[in-house]
Amino acid sequence: MPVKLIAHSLIRKNGTFLLIKRSKIKSGRPNVFPNYWDIPGGGVENGELPRDGAIREALEEVNQGIEILKVIHEDSHYDEEKETVYTRIVYESEIMDEREIILDPEEHVDYRWITSLSEMEGQLVVPYLQSIFEEYKI
């Protein structure tokens, strides 16, 4: 059974955290969790370390250079339809090379810096991110 590794980074800057809103359509197909708020991340490439994947995804998705601080979350689930195990690693990180945030509209349509998840009340937020913010009381 195939295993797919996904690496994300919860990017911190001056007591705030960066969230990005997922697009409805990605590469011509319905996106996973369309219109949900998430954090930068994606699939780890063959031969790539997860932390390097998280750094690459931050550059690709929000144009930010980051430093990985530590692992703050891990979860796995089995997708019966794809017959694949997905394992997610989330790193806490901070910006090392701050630049203008540039989003690819094929993937994300908005961004927001927040201090607490309570600021997202009434918005759709990916479930794993809710768990992280509750665990760390953010």
Side-chain angles (χ1 to χ4, degrees), residues 18 22 31 40 62-63 82 89-90 98 100 103 112 116:
L18 179 62
R22 299 172 70 86
N31 203 351
V62 292
N63 192 40
K82 296 180 181 176
I89 299 173
V90 180
E98 186 172 6
E100 176 186 2
L103 302 175
R112 184 181 293 178
S116 166

Side-chain angles (χ1 to χ4, degrees), residues 21-36 104-109:
K21 190 172 188 180
R22 299 172 70 86
S23 61
K24 288 183 185 180
I25 304 295
K26 178 180 177 181
S27 304
R29 304 166 85 179
N31 203 351
V32 178
F33 289 111
N35 292 320
Y36 276 68
D104 177 353
E106 274 285 310
E107 289 195 53
H108 302 97
V109 296

Side-chain angles (χ1 to χ4, degrees), residues 83-95:
E83 297 182 341
T84 301
V85 171
Y86 289 88
T87 296
R88 174 185 296 111
I89 299 173
V90 180
Y91 297 96
E92 181 181 0
S93 62
E94 60 186 8
I95 291 180

Side-chain angles (χ1 to χ4, degrees), residues 85-134:
V85 171
Y86 289 88
T87 296
R88 174 185 296 111
I89 299 173
V90 180
Y91 297 96
E92 181 181 0
S93 62
E94 60 186 8
I95 291 180
M96 295 304 297
D97 181 17
E98 186 172 6
R99 309 174 208 171
E100 176 186 2
I101 291 180
I102 300 172
L103 302 175
D104 177 353
E106 274 285 310
E107 289 195 53
H108 302 97
V109 296
D110 200 4
Y111 73 92
R112 184 181 293 178
W113 289 97
I114 65 168
T115 57
S116 166
L117 204 55
S118 64
E119 296 170 38
M120 302 305 292
E121 190 171 326
Q123 299 286 315
L124 300 170
V125 177
V126 292
Y128 79 92
L129 192 55
Q130 292 175 342
S131 298
I132 292 169
F133 273 69
E134 286 172 12

